[in-house]
Amino acid sequence: MTVFLGLCCAAFATHATAAVLKMTCRAKGQELTLCKQAVQQWEKKTGHTVEIVSLPQSSSESFALTQQQLSAHASDVDVYQVDTTWVSFLSTHAVPLDAHFSAQELAAHFPVILQNNTVNGTLIVAPWYADVDMLFYRKDLLEKYGESPPTSWEDLLRIAQKIQENERASGHVRLWGYIFRGKAYEGLTCHVVEWIESFGGTLWPLDTDRVIQAFAFCARLIPTTSPMGVLSYTEEEVRGVFQLGDAVFAHNWPYMWTLTQSEESPVKGKVGITVLPQGQLHGKPASVLGGWGLCVSRYSNHQEAAIDLVRWLTRSEEQHRRALQASYCPTIHALYQDPVLCAAHPFFVHVARALETVVLRPAGAFGRSYSQVSASIANVTQKVLLKAITPEAAAQKLDQDMKTLHKRVTETPATQRATGQ
Ligand code: GLC
């Protein structure tokens, strides 16, 4: 770009003000490709250039990097791809976006996402895509064994075990019943909230009885229906194992769908998707609100161009393209009625319904301490999965950890909270 400008600035006057921006973008599934494609269109349209910095796969690691940059008030990144739970932290580092979207544009998004991305009445993060965990299952195997998709966890375990045992006996020795994101990171925290809510409880404030029930369920998984290796699985390991055909059920985000249906996928045409099962008595199928948005750094030297880029990437046409090509779920509700998307992804009907009832992680309650809370949730849960702690002791430990952190949050002077010190 620099060379191009040097040679051509007289002929292409508009390029004289062309900026070089930097944006972070995730590399999970097809995200990086999608991001690059859209950015290239914007570059062509505006004459600006964007350097894409790829983020680590894990949300927790991506947060650490983003936090480092913004806390140092670094001006080198202009636009950040940011997770649902980072909004409190971002509130003092990101440019308010309300004024750059019309009321109509804003009203097009699911209210829960807009609320999540707004702090004290100010929109901090532009919604880009939503995530809700789904249950992926092997349609062909369930049919072979005369089973329907499970609606309760108990049923899931029964079906998982039955198919696993029978298929192993007929030679598919690597088949597992149920896989999920068991590594100690944000992805496991999402599951924990879902398991607890599906038993009718809440994680914060912690509902001891229901948390014990959910943990008791977790303690039954390894090695009966889930491999020990699940403790190191993030999204992509779950997808990899399921896509190879080595799992009956997988608990993961919708981006996995298009990849499992690709030409080279061994499970193409054999996959079903439904809402997550529920716990026995008082439960409900519950999915947490996941998804990513875009924010503009207050320390950017190219805020105007950066805001234009964010508008371009989050607009309806682009959300449609991403949804069609790679099943990233739109944040714009009208797109769930789009005939092309509905035909390509019939399960979007479940996603839209789930988005009406999603559960939030306790990021709002813990603000800037959320990452510590999340780490404690994931670490305690790993111990439960390993049966290194009883469900009762785990619930107690989690309650203590969360109460200690919450006390610290509420005792921090407001001024300090606002500046993030
Ligand atoms: C997905 C979700 C995000 C969540 C992360 C956990 O990327 O969109 O909200 O925090 O997974 O791994």
Side-chain angles (χ1 to χ4, degrees):
M1 193 62 202
T2 318
V3 176
F4 175 79
L5 271 179
L7 295 174
C8 308
C9 53
F12 299 93
T14 52
H15 286 190
T17 54
V20 180
L21 275 73
K22 233 186 217 180
M23 122 168 228
T24 61
C25 213
R26 288 186 93 201
K28 178 173 64 84
Q30 304 178 65
E31 281 203 86
L32 197 56
T33 310
L34 288 171
C35 183
K36 282 183 181 160
Q37 289 167 341
V39 159
Q40 274 164 12
Q41 289 174 355
W42 184 79
E43 287 177 326
K44 254 192 221 151
K45 183 175 88 82
T46 60
H48 297 309
T49 307
V50 184
E51 232 178 82
I52 294 176
V53 183
S54 134
L55 284 174
Q57 299 262 345
S58 139
S59 168
S60 312
E61 285 169 35
S62 299
F63 180 62
L65 280 181
T66 306
Q67 191 181 26
Q68 212 173 36
Q69 283 284 315
L70 287 171
S71 301
H73 297 191
S75 63
D76 31 338
V77 177
D78 303 278
V79 175
Y80 289 90
Q81 176 172 357
V82 295
D83 199 350
T84 317
T85 50
W86 305 357
V87 181
S88 294
F89 166 75
L90 296 168
S91 62
T92 49
H93 299 291
V95 170
L97 293 173
D98 317 65
H100 304 285
F101 291 92
S102 71
Q104 206 184 352
E105 283 171 332
L106 292 179
H109 298 279
F110 280 89
V112 66
I113 302 175
L114 272 190
Q115 277 156 21
N116 181 79
N117 296 5
T118 301
V119 180
N120 297 331
T122 304
L123 184 75
I124 298 293
V125 174
W128 197 14
Y129 70 87
D131 258 339
V132 283
D133 261 329
M134 308 297 292
L135 184 70
F136 291 75
Y137 60 91
R138 284 286 300 280
K139 246 181 359 192
D140 57 328
L141 290 178
L142 262 62
E143 268 162 32
K144 177 171 168 190
Y145 290 91
E147 296 288 352
S148 310
T151 54
S152 72
W153 291 114
E154 210 49 51
D155 213 17
L156 176 138
L157 292 185
R158 181 189 60 76
I159 301 170
Q161 214 166 341
K162 172 174 152 185
I163 299 182
Q164 185 183 296
E165 271 171 27
N166 282 288
E167 287 293 298
R168 282 190 185 181
S170 9
H172 190 166
V173 291
R174 293 210 321 241
L175 185 75
W176 284 97
Y178 169 55
I179 55 169
F180 54 92
R181 305 181 296 261
K183 187 176 170 172
Y185 80 120
E186 189 61 32
L188 177 55
T189 299
C190 295
H191 285 339
V192 178
V193 175
E194 290 162 343
W195 287 324
I196 294 171
E197 292 273 344
S198 75
F199 278 88
T202 52
L203 171 66
W204 178 259
L206 187 133
D207 177 339
T208 311
D209 287 352
R210 301 294 156 80
V211 171
I212 292 174
Q213 282 178 29
F215 278 161
F217 161 76
C218 295
R220 291 166 64 191
L221 300 176
I222 301 174
T224 323
T225 50
S226 311
M228 186 61 93
V230 89
L231 296 172
S232 62
Y233 286 7
T234 66
E235 283 80 3
E236 283 292 80
E237 285 78 24
V238 173
R239 174 173 76 84
V241 171
F242 186 77
Q243 197 165 321
L244 273 177
D246 290 339
V248 183
F249 295 109
H251 185 160
N252 210 357
W253 311 108
Y255 84 94
M256 202 169 107
W257 166 253
T258 325
L259 294 163
T260 61
Q261 297 312 300
S262 63
E263 278 313 314
E264 54 286 0
S265 166
V267 294
K268 181 173 166 35
K270 299 177 179 170
V271 179
I273 306 185
T274 188
V275 289
L276 295 173
Q278 61 188 63
Q280 283 313 83
L281 292 171
H282 311 282
K284 58 178 197 283
S287 185
V288 297
L289 175 67
W292 292 68
L294 296 173
C295 78
V296 173
S297 164
R298 277 187 194 247
Y299 320 110
S300 156
N301 295 319
H302 309 289
Q303 288 185 10
E304 202 181 313
I307 289 167
D308 191 62
L309 174 61
V310 167
R311 282 185 52 82
W312 175 261
L313 294 175
T314 56
R315 76 199 200 289
S316 180
E317 293 84 339
E318 176 58 10
Q319 291 207 8
H320 187 282
R321 185 185 77 92
R322 292 170 59 93
L324 190 61
Q325 203 168 307
S327 52
Y328 284 96
C329 301
T331 60
I332 295 174
H333 35 76
L335 289 176
Y336 290 87
Q337 267 97 55
D338 179 88
V340 176
L341 287 185
C342 291
H345 307 321
F347 70 94
F348 264 23
V349 61
H350 295 308
V351 173
R353 212 172 304 140
L355 278 169
E356 302 289 351
T357 55
V358 271
V359 184
L360 296 180
R361 285 165 268 178
F366 289 92
R368 287 161 193 267
S369 300
Y370 173 72
S371 57
Q372 282 163 273
V373 173
S374 173
S376 158
I377 298 167
N379 286 327
V380 169
T381 307
Q382 269 219 333
K383 293 205 180 92
V384 175
L385 288 164
L386 275 166
K387 297 188 209 18
I389 188 171
T390 63
E392 291 77 10
Q396 200 181 358
K397 162 100 177 79
L398 199 51
D399 196 32
Q400 273 164 5
D401 285 359
M402 295 206 301
K403 281 184 176 148
T404 309
L405 277 165
H406 195 252
K407 197 155 173 255
R408 220 179 286 161
V409 172
T410 46
E411 283 172 0
T412 308
T415 45
Q416 221 169 306
R417 260 184 270 151
T419 53
Q421 285 158 359

